[in-house]
Amino acid sequence: MQVHFGEFTIDTGSRQLRRGEAECHLSPKGFELLRLLIENRPRALSKEELHEHLWPATFVSEATLTSLVAEVRAALGETASSGRFLRTVHRFGYAFNEAPPAAAASTSSADARARCWIVWQSGQVGLTDGDHLLGRDGDVAVWLESPSVSRHHARIRVRGTAATIEDLASKNGTYLRGERLAKPSPLTDGDEIRLGSVLVKFRSTDAGITETQRSP
């Protein structure tokens, strides 16, 4: 299987990571870590789950996983504070931050590309067709680190060019354009959403967003 993300391609058959045509070196464990995170995107994998996959029946320190993550980030040309692809889920584990791409030759489809983006001060996440949770639990698509955000705070449903958001009985509420949500509501490009004290912006790819425009 080949998966394309940004300027990179990971080939699980040949076990290669390439940037354009150039191969990026990864140790066998580093490659396996990247493969696991990509195949499980956008779900965050706990440190315990990663340890079970990478070092079954073997005790290794948490620093070993941290070093492996640093190796993968170096291969992708990023750091923990400025990464596009690997996201640290604090006190939980790691996740692959890029939306599932449309470029895998054997599985590509219109449904596999990002239809819209959620953008905030700490990052951005592309959303494909389907349902996407926002909150601070480890299984959400958009992870927001704030005690004011519920574990499963809100849900965005994407269907082609249309998207709606609904609050999931969160403690501090979900606000769209300054109004607290009481029912699912449609989203339009540029909408500001407040979850607890965290402000994010909804951007639609159909509005012609570029990399430099994806900012609140």
Side-chain angles (χ1 to χ4, degrees):
M1 180 184 71
Q2 288 190 355
V3 177
H4 301 264
F5 55 99
E7 65 273 32
F8 295 94
T9 302
I10 184 172
D11 188 326
T12 58
S14 65
R15 296 186 63 82
Q16 288 181 306
L17 173 67
R18 296 190 298 274
R19 184 172 191 168
E21 297 300 319
E23 183 175 358
C24 302
H25 174 73
L26 275 178
S27 68
K29 291 293 187 185
F31 184 90
E32 190 66 10
L33 171 62
L34 180 58
R35 182 190 68 80
L36 284 169
L37 294 174
I38 288 176
E39 289 185 355
N40 285 277
R41 65 189 186 274
R43 183 173 73 88
L45 299 182
S46 69
K47 295 175 183 178
E48 292 77 12
E49 188 174 357
L50 290 170
H51 275 283
E52 289 175 5
H53 279 286
L54 295 168
W55 299 281
T58 303
F59 173 79
V60 295
S61 68
E62 187 171 318
T64 303
L65 178 59
T66 302
S67 296
L68 200 61
V69 170
E71 177 195 334
V72 174
R73 282 183 166 140
L76 297 175
E78 62 182 46
T79 65
S81 61
S82 63
R84 288 184 294 161
F85 303 119
L86 263 63
R87 174 168 62 89
T88 299
V89 182
H90 295 288
R91 298 181 296 277
F92 182 80
Y94 300 93
F96 192 75
N97 210 36
E98 182 88 340
S106 61
T107 60
S108 63
S109 69
D111 292 339
R113 60 184 172 86
R115 300 288 190 176
C116 54
W117 292 79
I118 297 298
V119 185
W120 70 106
Q121 185 176 8
S122 301
Q124 59 188 40
V125 176
L127 304 181
T128 60
D129 277 329
D131 291 356
H132 307 275
L133 295 175
L134 296 81
R136 58 182 178 87
D137 206 352
D139 63 347
V140 301
V142 181
W143 187 81
L144 303 169
E145 185 184 14
S146 170
S148 68
V149 175
S150 298
R151 294 184 181 278
H152 288 178
H153 196 107
R155 177 189 294 113
I156 290 179
R157 177 165 293 169
V158 181
R159 296 289 185 270
T161 59
T164 60
I165 184 170
E166 62 178 310
D167 182 71
L168 298 178
S170 65
K171 179 180 179 180
N172 294 314
T174 302
Y175 293 79
L176 176 63
R177 297 185 292 273
E179 298 290 331
R180 185 163 184 164
L181 289 179
K183 61 181 180 179
S185 299
L187 289 165
T188 59
D189 181 56
D191 275 345
E192 289 190 337
I193 305 164
R194 182 163 62 84
L195 303 96
S197 63
V198 179
L199 186 67
V200 303
K201 181 172 287 189
F202 174 83
R203 300 306 309 268
S204 170
T205 54
D206 292 317
I209 304 169
T210 66
E211 286 291 331
T212 56
Q213 290 174 314
R214 292 186 190 126
S215 59

